[in-house]
């Protein structure tokens, strides 16, 4: 089958591009002919909160080939991209959707291709963003109306799609486990490098920092924990830095908090997860999280709030704990419960079982079966 994918790819950095590279390689391994259409400009620099949108020399990004034709804010490129995709004569067009900002560009590409008779499906991370505005439903609604079906990674995203367009064909499959990172590194050596002893209890908050992720809740909860705890915050701050700095200024545990305020290059990821006893996701809202997929790849349990689709992949009491709400007191209590119950040695992640349960083979197989059911 000839498959066209319109999304973000190398040299752009981040989880979406990493996911897409894995998707391409899996489809190619099944014998499909895949071509990719990428952004020439993803976000205007004035709107991008981070330092760079591109991979660094330290990233082990898969340099998948792509046509860099799509400019998110140039309508002329939208029609040009559609013509280019149509020239490939694909049997299936996949468009990755994660933010309403890109709805005009991606939706217009989908609309043009649909009118030409091509089957266009969305792979949706989010339909309505965590930090939403009045325009989000309108923009996402425009995009959803242009596709033949919506392949979602959580029930919440499916519900969002169906609310915007009742009756649209949908399918749900969880985010596969990320396995493109290096294998786990030695735990004792990683702790030695970071200066942590084996008896210290290390919490890891990983990923880009935005208010909806509830880092402030975790920092407040950390003040309620005893001096045996350590907290690593690893990820570039996209919003709320001033508020977090103010919160940490007089924090009783600030000397036990390591804040690595930058995008974490791929080569540094294994050591950070090796140091941790548990990954903490104190989110106020969520759909799914690629961080959970990363944690399970490295065999690290997860404590997360019961929002969005986080609880769909975490087995409470086995490979982590679910906290009912983003409340500092409840989160601190759950963290204590985790360690009182044996911590890392008790809440074991069966890496092989996770890889089989949330495999790329199963995800792609379900995606292709879905495309067959809804094909024009």
């Amino acid at each position: 089958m000839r498959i066209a994918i319109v999304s973000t790819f190398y040299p752009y950095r981040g989880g979406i591009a990493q996911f897409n590279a894995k998707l391409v390689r899996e489809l190619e391994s099944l014998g499909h002919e895949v071509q990719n259409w990428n952004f020439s400009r993803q976000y205007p620099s004035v709107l991008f909160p981070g330092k760079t949108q591109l991979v660094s020399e330290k990233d082990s990004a898969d340099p998948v080939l792509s046509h860099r034709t799509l400019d998110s804010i140039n309508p002329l490129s939208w029609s040009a991209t559609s013509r280019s995709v149509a020239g490939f004569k694909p049997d299936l067009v996949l468009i990755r959707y994660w933010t309403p900002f890109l709805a005009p560009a991606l939706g217009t590409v989908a609309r043009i291709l649909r009118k030409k008779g091509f089957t266009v499906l969305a792979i949706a991370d989010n339909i309505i963003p965590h930090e939403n505005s009045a325009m989000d439903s309108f923009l996402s609604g425009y995009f959803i109306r242009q596709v033949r079906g919506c392949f979602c990674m959580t029930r919440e995203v499916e519900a969002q799609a169906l609310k915007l367009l009742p009756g649209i064909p949908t399918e749900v499959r969880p985010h596969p486990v990320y396995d493109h990172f290096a294998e786990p590194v030695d735990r004792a050596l990683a702790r030695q490098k970071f200066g942590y002893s084996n008896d210290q209890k290390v919490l890891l908050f990983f990923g880009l920092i935005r208010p909806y992720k509830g880092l402030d809740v975790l920092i407040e909860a950390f003040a309620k924990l005893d001096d045996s705890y350590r907290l690593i915050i690893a990820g570039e701050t996209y919003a709320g830095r001033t508020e977090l700095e103010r919160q940490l200024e007089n924090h009783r545990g600030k000397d036990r908090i390591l804040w690595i305020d930058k995008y974490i290059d791929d080569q540094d990821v294994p050591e950070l997860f090796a140091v941790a006893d548990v990954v903490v996701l104190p989110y106020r809202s969520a759909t799914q999280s690629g961080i959970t997929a990363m944690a399970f790849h490295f065999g690290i349990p997860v404590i997360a709030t019961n929002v969005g689709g986080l609880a769909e992949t975490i087995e409470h009491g086995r490979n982590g704990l679910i906290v009912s709400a983003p409340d500092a007191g409840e989160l601190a209590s759950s963290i204590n419960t985790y360690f009182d119950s044996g911590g890392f040695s008790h809440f074991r992640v069966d890496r092989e079982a996770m890889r089989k349960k949330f495999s790329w083979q199963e995800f792609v197989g379900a995606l292709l079966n879905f495309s067959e059911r809804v094909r024009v």
Side-chain angles (χ1 to χ4, degrees), residues 166-240:
I168 184 175
T170 60
E171 181 74 22
V172 178
R173 283 295 187 277
H175 193 304
V177 169
Y178 275 134
D179 57 6
H180 61 281
F181 293 104
E183 288 294 296
V185 301
D186 184 84
R187 189 174 177 80
L189 290 177
R191 288 212 162 192
Q192 185 178 19
K193 179 176 179 178
F194 277 80
Y196 297 137
S197 64
N198 289 332
D199 61 340
Q200 288 172 333
K201 305 164 185 174
V202 182
L203 316 175
L204 174 63
F205 177 96
F206 187 92
L208 301 176
I209 297 171
R210 287 181 164 135
Y212 80 85
K213 293 189 175 183
L215 176 56
D216 60 315
V217 177
L218 176 55
I219 291 172
E220 183 181 349
F222 191 71
K224 302 177 185 296
L225 303 174
D226 66 43
D227 291 351
S228 64
Y229 286 92
R230 300 293 184 271
L231 170 61
I232 300 175
I233 302 166
E236 189 173 6
T237 306
Y238 272 21

Side-chain angles (χ1 to χ4, degrees), residues 78-114:
W78 309 347
S79 55
T81 297
S82 303
R83 289 194 300 271
S84 180
V85 174
F88 176 54
K89 295 182 172 57
D91 302 297
L92 174 65
V93 180
L94 300 174
I95 298 183
R96 190 80 180 274
Y97 188 75
W98 68 96
T99 172
F101 174 78
L102 298 174
L106 297 177
T108 300
V109 170
R111 178 174 59 82
I112 294 171
L113 291 171
R114 177 175 55 83

Side-chain angles (χ1 to χ4, degrees), residues 91-92 113-121 147-149 370-376:
D91 302 297
L92 174 65
L113 291 171
R114 177 175 55 83
K115 287 185 174 181
K116 290 179 180 290
F118 295 103
T119 300
V120 184
L121 296 183
V147 298
R148 186 68 185 86
F370 179 60
S371 74
E372 291 293 332
R373 295 201 304 272
V374 303
R375 181 168 297 177
V376 175

